[in-house]
Amino acid sequence: LFHLRRNKNGTPATIGAALVVACVLGSVGVAVGYVIMPNVLRRYSPHVIQMAQLFMLTTPLSLLMYVCSSVFESAGDFWYSNSTRFLSPLITLASLVIFWATGRLDVLTAAISYALPSLPIGLRMLASVLRRFRPRVLPFVRETYRQLFSYGLRSFGIEIINVVGGQIDHVLVITFLSPAAMGLYAVA
């Protein structure tokens, strides 16, 4: 959202366009993940595969959170953006400890611990962006999307390399290790 700092007049339209793009890409991610999940997780039980497919529904919200963080940072509100990034792992850790202490830590509760914080945090961030910046999605303005993609596509390659580099080990580990070995790898 580089353009938010440069063009204050286009802020509502730019934020609206970014939110629309995040929703569309998140929905594509859900569909692709839902289809490929059974192949990637073929060594896992059908229940684990179904839960992984269900947790793919968090993808659009994750992208919306990324956009919301960028919006707050472009407005100079780094405290809000950083506090939400700090809060999510803190809630995840607390829930993992609670499940472990109560003897209920398993694959499902661990997955819930990682996915659950994004729901209230993401919805709060989205509500804050909608209330504070009042993004506009209509009327569709081609120039807004062109500006958004002209900068975004140039940085897209670097982002893809960072994401793939940071996650490729998980894909390989899930593909080649047994579920028990994967659990040990994830904890380590």
Side-chain angles (χ1 to χ4, degrees):
L1 294 174
F2 164 76
H3 292 287
L4 292 180
R5 283 209 180 262
R6 272 194 6 200
N7 182 8
K8 298 292 184 192
N9 295 335
T11 298
T14 304
I15 295 171
L19 293 173
V20 167
V21 169
C23 288
V24 169
L25 292 178
S27 299
V28 169
V30 169
V32 169
Y34 190 85
V35 169
I36 68 168
M37 202 64 67
N39 293 324
V40 174
L41 300 176
R42 63 183 167 272
R43 293 183 179 187
Y44 292 80
S45 72
H47 177 69
V48 170
I49 293 171
Q50 288 172 343
M51 294 312 300
Q53 289 173 317
L54 180 65
F55 284 120
M56 285 298 301
L57 295 174
T58 64
T59 304
L61 186 59
S62 296
L63 290 176
L64 287 171
M65 287 174 67
Y66 183 74
V67 169
C68 290
S69 286
S70 297
V71 169
F72 286 115
E73 289 172 6
S74 73
D77 194 350
F78 292 96
W79 184 90
Y80 189 86
S81 176
N82 290 333
S83 66
T84 58
R85 289 182 182 167
F86 173 75
L87 192 57
S88 185
L90 186 65
I91 294 171
T92 299
L93 178 62
S95 62
L96 286 170
V97 168
I98 290 168
F99 283 129
W100 174 76
T102 59
R104 300 205 50 204
L105 186 61
D106 59 17
V107 172
L108 178 59
T109 57
I112 289 170
S113 295
Y114 280 92
L116 184 65
S118 66
L119 188 60
I121 294 169
L123 292 176
R124 174 145 165 79
M125 289 177 76
L126 184 58
S128 294
V129 165
L130 294 175
R131 185 176 49 255
R132 183 171 164 190
F133 298 97
R134 304 204 182 279
R136 273 192 341 236
V137 294
L138 294 174
F140 177 84
V141 179
R142 175 174 275 159
E143 180 62 22
T144 303
Y145 286 88
R146 188 190 68 71
Q147 287 178 343
L148 191 64
F149 282 111
S150 71
Y151 178 79
L153 289 177
R154 289 192 303 252
S155 66
F156 182 70
I158 294 168
E159 288 296 320
I160 289 293
I161 290 169
N162 285 335
V163 169
V164 169
Q167 300 297 321
I168 193 71
D169 64 323
H170 292 100
V171 173
L172 293 173
V173 167
I174 287 172
T175 304
F176 296 114
L177 293 181
S178 69
M182 174 58 192
L184 290 173
Y185 176 81
V187 170

